[in-house]
Amino acid sequence: MTTPLAHFHPFVPAGGVGSRLWPLSRADAPKFLLDLTGSGSSLLRATYDRLAGLSDGRVMVVTGRTHAAAVCEQLPELTEEELVLEPSPKDSAAAIGLACMLIQRRDPDAIVGSFAADHVIEPAEAFHDVVREAVTAAASGRIVTIGIPPSSPATGFGYIRAGAPLGLAGAPHALQVEQFVEKPDEETARAYVASGDYTWNAGMFVAPAALMLRHLEASEPALYAGLAEIADAWGTPAQEEVVDRVWPGLPKTAIDYAVAEPAAAAGDVAMVPATFTWDDVGDFAAIRRLNRVDPEADCDVAVLGENSRVLADSSTGIVVSDTGRLVALIGVEDIVVVDTADALLVTTREHAQRVKDAVSALKQNGDTDVL
């Protein structure tokens, strides 16, 4: 008798530019391809390695055609069958839906797991324990999300309201999900955290592929039909023609709206709380948290970049530089300096989230050469 884990097929949607990390993260070098923790591995490489230990090395990656060469260079063991290329960004529902369809055609009993390429998770052993429990809970016929116990009343994440324990053998921590809540204001977020009934929604899903697709078909029939046409042609001589014809017309929506929220309303969603540390590396304040300061340094300034040259006096913050140019900091607090060949960013950790607004302004001004 096979276990649910034998049918577990994890995949990694690797998309998004990471505009809050500009000018380090660009359209042609998005954050998942970068080493932002000083570990020597990109976020994608670390994610792949973390998942490979759960599935005998069987991990699918869904990414854009423009990133195919870079992804293959970082993951030389990735087979052609496990690399799915999108012609253009279509948000998470299209990427996740196509992965589910392709995997289900190989294994009708597949339990899929969707894990973003740009999360930092430690330790791997704790992550594996939680995912195994999620796979067991998913085998009972549920979509299972992994909830992150909130460390602060963050307004940049969605929240999950959990209910009663499910009492599942092999998944003792699984809880019924009552509701997915979109990003709240600060007062609401404080109330959520104080109640103890909410976790952050990190966008990690483990579920029977058939159940994911059933909810996708019910809520987004046009998207489902288009993906089904693509999946039917996948691996045949018609694949490229069908993808290029169908993909541009697919509706653009997030998996939370297309599947998670309606599934939760139907009582089909469970949650297993995380026992590992998690960070989505959403801005430069996060990079500062994840990078240690040289213990021999006189200042509390983290430095990232192989060719960085930093002189700091009575300062705190982070400098990211690969230009070899000297960056001197004198008497500045919580500074963020990102020095690249064609763009220089100077801000503070408090305003790190506003970098995205600068990227929007550059687009409006037509300064696309630095994006």
Side-chain angles (χ1 to χ4, degrees):
M1 180 178 179
T2 60
T3 65
L5 202 62
H7 293 282
F8 180 52
H9 299 258
F11 62 88
V12 180
V17 175
S19 56
R20 291 183 181 89
L21 293 177
W22 178 88
L24 190 60
S25 181
R26 309 282 186 107
D28 59 350
K31 68 174 181 175
F32 63 83
L33 293 173
L34 306 177
D35 174 12
L36 300 179
T37 64
S39 66
S41 293
S42 71
L43 299 181
L44 173 64
R45 177 76 252 184
T47 301
Y48 186 94
D49 289 343
R50 196 163 51 239
L51 293 170
L54 286 165
S55 60
D56 297 326
R58 182 183 59 241
V59 182
M60 178 181 284
V61 175
V62 185
T63 193
R65 285 178 178 171
T66 55
H67 304 313
V71 167
C72 290
E73 182 179 356
Q74 291 196 4
L75 306 175
E77 67 270 54
L78 188 66
T79 66
E80 184 177 351
E81 185 181 39
E82 299 293 355
L83 178 62
V84 177
L85 300 177
E86 302 175 291
S88 61
K90 277 291 181 181
D91 216 325
S92 57
I96 292 174
L98 180 57
C100 289
M101 284 188 180
L102 296 178
I103 290 169
Q104 191 197 31
R105 278 160 169 73
R106 302 179 199 168
D107 180 2
D109 298 321
I111 294 176
V112 296
S114 175
F115 301 91
D118 53 5
H119 293 173
V120 175
I121 291 172
E122 293 181 340
E125 294 78 9
F127 172 77
H128 289 171
D129 290 342
V130 171
V131 173
R132 290 188 187 101
E133 192 168 338
V135 171
T136 299
S140 69
R142 292 175 171 88
I143 296 171
V144 184
T145 186
I146 297 174
I148 308 297
S151 58
S152 66
T155 58
F157 302 133
Y159 285 72
I160 302 166
R161 181 162 64 88
L166 292 172
L168 297 174
H173 302 100
L175 306 172
Q176 184 70 35
V177 167
E178 302 293 340
Q179 184 184 17
F180 284 90
V181 184
E182 283 307 298
K183 299 174 182 177
D185 57 35
E186 187 170 349
E187 182 180 355
T188 304
R190 290 187 182 278
Y192 287 167
V193 174
S195 74
D197 295 331
Y198 293 81
T199 56
W200 287 339
N201 177 17
M204 294 182 274
F205 296 98
V206 177
L211 180 60
M212 291 284 287
L213 294 172
R214 186 158 70 243
H215 279 288
L216 181 64
E217 183 178 22
S219 64
E220 293 285 344
L223 176 58
Y224 178 90
L227 292 175
E229 185 176 357
I230 291 172
D232 287 341
W234 204 265
T236 74
Q239 174 181 323
E240 185 173 354
E241 182 276 323
V242 172
V243 171
D244 289 344
R245 172 172 50 82
V246 175
W247 189 267
L250 294 179
K252 191 175 183 179
T253 186
I255 196 68
D256 285 30
Y257 299 125
V259 173
E261 291 181 6
D268 285 345
V269 182
M271 185 271 289
V272 176
T275 57
F276 47 80
T277 62
W278 171 89
D279 203 305
D280 73 337
V281 203
D283 58 24
F284 286 107
I287 293 181
R288 174 62 184 83
R289 288 195 305 270
L290 293 167
N291 285 272
R292 298 177 181 176
V293 175
D294 184 348
E296 298 182 1
D298 295 331
C299 291
D300 187 17
V301 176
V303 178
L304 196 63
E306 292 183 4
N307 298 316
S308 57
R309 297 174 63 199
V310 178
L311 172 65
D313 179 11
S314 303
S315 299
T316 64
I318 182 170
V319 175
V320 185
S321 175
D322 251 340
T323 65
R325 182 165 39 213
L326 177 66
V327 178
L329 307 178
I330 302 174
V332 289
E333 299 293 321
D334 277 343
I335 193 78
V336 174
V337 178
V338 185
D339 186 27
T340 69
D342 60 352
L344 172 67
L345 170 72
V346 181
T347 184
T348 63
R349 283 197 281 174
E350 179 184 358
H351 295 99
Q353 287 277 323
R354 295 177 59 186
V355 174
K356 186 175 184 178
D357 298 334
V359 172
S360 297
L362 289 169
K363 289 180 180 178
Q364 291 178 356
N365 294 337
D367 296 315
T368 55
D369 61 308
V370 294
L371 299 178

